[in-house]
């Protein structure tokens, strides 16, 4: 499709032009034609009426026998034929033409069906549209009689003058329509420009925003553009927010990746700076370096997991899974970690629950919660995992008797690299990405996480997600 056809300006212009001109065109096309026909008919009728009056006069005066009145009536016949640009001839009872206004056929006999028919009592009227003339006949009755026909008035009339008149009218109308077309075209250009001026301004302002010259747009001259401006500003604000958080994420990533490397460098430099350092010192420092390398790998691994989650978007390998079994396996795997600190782990299942989940991802999400419950716990504490469901949702809660999370930190713990106690997280081997990963996975399952925590007493993370996956 042509580009101009998609232009809103062109469409508005075309609609305005059509609305303005269509009625006029239809009017001239249909009403113009019927008006010409009506005009011809009324002119012929008028002529016919005059001729009929003349025929009555002829009948009264006894035209065919009274030669005195004949001359006066002949003049009237001539006059009438002249006025209507027609021809009249009068035939007597023997069909002989006694008067012809063209003086061509006088003395001749006219035995045309029209004349003969009129003698029998049927007057005729015929239109010859192609040759532009009309014909009619009228009876001339005998003096004082209403039945005896003594002659026939035969009249023809050219319709050329009417047609010429109507044609000139149509020409003038055509000229008027043409000038109207130009005027309407100019008007529709102006109107479309006026109507679309807010859209044009919107376009310019959006282009300015795209080039980075403005951070907000505002075209409030129409309700539609005002709504568009507001939606655009909201989108722009979101993009700016995303950009800011991306920048913050990149700077956090750089910082996090640099920390272990700095430690490794300090450890290596210390070793180098000590000549003849004992083997024990080497062993100790190298084991510290190895720990830092582990940390670096963990951060990279978590980052890759996050990137993969972002990249795969909504792609989940969803299967129906028994949640009781999934949690049992998960706790069995983490039991040694809890045992090391004397933490008691329990699983309470209110019922058997099967849910449509991505097993690998959901296991990772729930493992992070249980690992945190162990990591941020006190020695000899407890971790209580409960599983429940209603007709719609599955609920998994992980409760611990650990250090808890202060209220002001609670809204931030799901942010990437956010840590309440940096030193504690570091010593516990945390990367600050675990809860961000969990949050991403739960959201992908159309679920949500709730956190309740009292510092010094413990925390409870509750995950809720639909039993049937909603794509
Ligand atoms: P990390 O790798 O540091 O554990 P997370 O994203 O898993 O990162 O958690 C973010 C922060 O939230 C942790 O550093 C910790 O301070 C806090 N946190 C998470 N879970 C718990 C919990 N069960 N009890 C107390 N604090 C917690």
């Amino acid at each position: 499709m042509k580009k101009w056809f998609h232009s809103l300006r062109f469409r508005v212009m075309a609609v305005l032009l059509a609305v303005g001109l269509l009625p006029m065109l239809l009017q001239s096309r249909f009403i113009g034609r019927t008006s010409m026909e009506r005009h011809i008919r009324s002119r012929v009728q008028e002529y016919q009426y005059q001729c009929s009056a003349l025929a009555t006069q002829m009948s009264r005066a006894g035209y065919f026998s009274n030669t005195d009145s004949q001359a006066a009536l002949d003049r009237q016949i001539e006059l009438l034929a002249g006025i209507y640009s027609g021809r009249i001839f009068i035939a007597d009872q023997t069909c002989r033409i006694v008067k012809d206004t063209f003086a061509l056929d006088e003395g001749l006999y006219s035995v045309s069906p029209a004349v003969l028919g009129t003698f029998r009592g049927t007057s005729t009227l015929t239109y010859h549209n192609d040759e532009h003339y009309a014909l009619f006949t009228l009876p001339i009755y005998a003096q004082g009689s209403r039945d005896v026909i003594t002659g026939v008035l035969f009249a023809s009339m050219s319709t050329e003058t009417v047609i010429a008149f109507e044609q000139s009218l149509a020409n003038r109308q055509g000229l008027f329509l043409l000038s109207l077309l130009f005027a309407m075209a100019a008007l529709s250009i102006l109107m479309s420009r006026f109507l679309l001026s807010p859209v044009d301004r919107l376009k310019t302002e959006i282009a300015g925003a795209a080039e980075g010259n403005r951070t907000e747009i505002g075209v409030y001259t129409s309700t539609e553009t005002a709504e568009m401006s507001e939606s655009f500003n909201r989108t722009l604000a979101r993009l700016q927010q995303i950009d800011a958080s991306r920048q913050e994420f990149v700077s956090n990533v750089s910082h996090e990746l640099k920390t272990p490397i700095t430690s490794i460098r300090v450890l290596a430099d210390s070793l180098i700076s000590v000549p003849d350092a004992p083997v024990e010192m080497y062993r100790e420092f190298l084991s510290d370096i190895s720990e830092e390398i582990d940390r670096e790998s963990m951060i990279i691994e978590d980052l890759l997991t996050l990137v993969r989650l972002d990249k795969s978007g909504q792609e989940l390998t969803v299967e129906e899974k028994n949640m009781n079994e999934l949690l049992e396996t998960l706790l069995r795997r983490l039991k040694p970690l809890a045992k090391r600190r004397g933490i008691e782990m329990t699983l309470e299942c209110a019922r058997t629950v099967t849910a449509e989940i991505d097993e690998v991802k959901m296991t990772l999400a729930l493992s992070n919660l249980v690992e945190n419950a162990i990591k941020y716990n006190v020695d000899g504490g407890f971790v209580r995992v409960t599983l429940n469901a209603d007709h719609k949702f599955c609920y998994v809660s992980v409760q611990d008797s650990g250090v808890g999370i202060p209220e002001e930190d609670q809204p931030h713990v799901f942010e990437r690299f956010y840590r309440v106690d940096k030193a504690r997280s570091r010593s516990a081997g945390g990367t600050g990405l675990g809860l961000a990963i969990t949050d991403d996975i739960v959201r992908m399952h159309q679920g949500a996480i709730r956190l309740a925590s009292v510092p010094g007493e413990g925390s409870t993370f509750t995950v809720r997600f639909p039993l049937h996956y909603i794509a």
Side-chain angles (χ1 to χ4, degrees):
M1 204 54 88
K2 294 267 189 305
K3 203 176 165 201
W4 51 260
F5 185 76
H6 291 291
S7 148
L8 209 56
R9 184 180 308 261
F10 170 79
R11 290 183 193 181
V12 170
M13 241 170 63
V15 168
L16 287 175
L17 209 61
V19 168
L21 285 181
L22 216 62
M24 295 260 179
L25 287 174
L26 290 177
Q27 189 257 2
S28 73
R29 182 97 187 89
F30 296 109
I31 301 187
R33 174 173 294 190
T34 53
S35 126
M36 163 115 82
E37 278 165 17
R38 235 176 329 152
H39 193 171
I40 289 174
R41 266 166 216 280
S42 84
R43 185 95 176 137
V44 170
Q45 258 169 21
E46 206 181 286
Y47 185 33
Q48 207 178 10
Y49 176 73
Q50 298 282 354
C51 286
S52 148
L54 195 65
T56 313
Q57 251 182 300
M58 289 164 89
S59 148
R60 273 202 204 122
Y63 177 80
F64 295 105
S65 48
N66 188 344
T67 41
D68 290 345
S69 60
Q70 206 173 49
L73 283 167
D74 280 349
R75 266 199 307 282
Q76 274 195 51
I77 293 170
E78 301 268 355
L79 198 70
L80 195 59
I83 290 171
Y84 286 93
S85 319
R87 180 181 181 182
I88 299 175
F89 67 72
I90 311 292
D92 67 9
Q93 215 158 12
T94 61
C95 292
R96 196 172 65 89
I97 296 168
V98 293
K99 173 70 189 163
D100 176 5
T101 54
F102 280 12
L104 294 173
D105 295 342
E106 277 173 13
L108 299 177
Y109 286 87
S110 168
V111 283
S112 69
V115 172
L116 294 178
T118 311
F119 274 117
R120 281 198 296 273
T122 38
S123 303
T124 54
L125 166 63
T126 47
Y127 288 92
H128 296 262
N129 290 334
D130 295 342
E131 287 107 276
H132 301 160
Y133 72 95
L135 285 176
F136 61 84
T137 55
L138 293 168
I140 302 168
Y141 292 101
Q143 200 171 15
S145 163
R146 290 234 114 244
D147 319 304
V148 185
I149 297 170
T150 52
V152 169
L153 184 152
F154 190 101
S156 69
M157 176 193 160
S158 162
T159 52
E160 288 280 338
T161 46
V162 178
I163 291 169
F165 173 77
E166 288 286 338
Q167 209 97 60
S168 88
L169 206 69
N171 286 349
R172 256 182 291 159
Q173 206 177 13
L175 211 66
F176 170 71
L177 273 176
L178 199 71
S179 19
L180 197 75
L181 177 82
F182 281 116
M184 282 300 293
L187 196 73
S188 58
I189 290 173
L190 288 178
M191 287 282 281
S192 68
R193 212 170 262 177
F194 167 72
L195 287 174
L196 293 177
S197 70
V199 178
D200 283 340
R201 263 191 56 202
L202 198 70
K203 205 170 78 182
T204 319
E205 294 202 5
I206 289 176
E211 279 163 19
N213 300 335
R214 41 167 73 235
T215 51
E216 216 182 52
I217 65 161
V219 182
Y220 297 107
T221 40
S222 71
T223 319
E224 288 78 6
T225 51
E227 281 169 6
M228 279 185 198
S229 301
E230 274 158 24
S231 318
F232 183 82
N233 286 339
R234 275 200 298 274
T235 313
L236 212 61
R238 244 182 73 78
L239 286 176
Q240 280 162 353
Q241 200 187 347
I242 289 170
D243 194 43
S245 79
R246 192 181 54 90
Q247 276 178 15
E248 193 193 324
F249 179 63
V250 169
S251 87
N252 281 344
V253 168
S254 321
H255 176 77
E256 293 295 329
L257 290 177
K258 247 174 98 175
T259 315
I261 289 175
T262 314
S263 306
I264 292 168
R265 170 161 220 129
V266 170
L267 289 165
D269 283 352
S270 322
L271 268 184
I272 294 163
S273 65
V274 181
D276 308 322
V279 176
E280 289 74 33
M281 192 178 169
Y282 268 99
R283 193 160 287 143
E284 192 193 328
F285 277 35
L286 282 175
S287 94
D288 287 349
I289 287 174
S290 167
E291 253 174 49
E292 290 302 330
I293 290 171
D294 282 348
R295 263 186 64 71
E296 185 89 7
S297 317
M298 248 158 56
I299 295 173
I300 291 170
E301 215 166 283
D302 278 357
L303 275 173
L304 283 177
T305 308
L306 268 178
V307 170
R308 258 182 248 127
L309 286 177
D310 279 352
K311 222 164 85 180
S312 61
Q314 301 303 311
E315 278 170 40
L316 290 181
T317 319
V318 176
E319 271 176 308
E320 198 160 272
K321 282 283 156 200
N322 182 319
M323 289 302 295
N324 308 58
E325 284 171 14
L326 184 140
L327 285 172
E328 272 164 27
T329 318
L330 191 154
L331 292 197
R332 206 176 309 123
R333 194 169 50 78
L334 292 175
K335 206 137 219 161
L337 198 67
K339 212 169 173 188
R340 239 180 274 157
R341 297 186 55 200
I343 294 169
E344 187 203 359
M345 276 212 299
T346 53
L347 171 63
E348 292 167 19
C349 299
R351 63 193 75 231
T352 308
V353 182
T354 47
E356 290 171 4
I357 51 159
D358 182 318
E359 188 185 7
V360 177
K361 291 196 175 85
M362 190 52 86
T363 305
L364 176 63
L366 297 175
S367 290
N368 283 346
L369 293 181
V370 181
E371 273 175 46
N372 278 354
I374 300 168
K375 271 196 300 191
Y376 303 104
N377 215 323
V378 289
D379 289 346
F382 69 83
V383 173
R384 194 172 295 142
V385 180
T386 56
L387 169 69
N388 204 346
D390 55 23
H391 64 291
K392 250 176 149 177
F393 295 102
C394 170
Y395 302 88
V396 179
S397 77
V398 181
Q399 187 191 1
D400 65 57
S401 56
V403 292
I405 303 168
E407 211 172 320
E408 65 271 22
D409 293 303
Q410 288 179 18
H412 303 291
V413 288
F414 297 101
E415 290 168 15
R416 294 164 181 196
F417 294 119
Y418 191 89
R419 279 169 285 203
V420 179
D421 182 344
K422 254 184 176 309
R424 193 183 180 112
S425 162
R426 235 177 104 77
S427 66
T431 60
L433 294 172
L435 285 182
I437 292 172
T438 301
D439 192 43
D440 270 7
I441 294 173
V442 174
R443 275 173 203 272
M444 284 170 85
H445 284 81
Q446 315 292 337
I449 309 180
R450 231 185 43 219
L451 161 63
S453 180
V454 179
E457 284 184 24
S459 317
T460 307
F461 287 84
T462 309
V463 175
R464 187 195 76 171
F465 56 89
L467 291 171
H468 299 287
Y469 176 69
I470 310 157

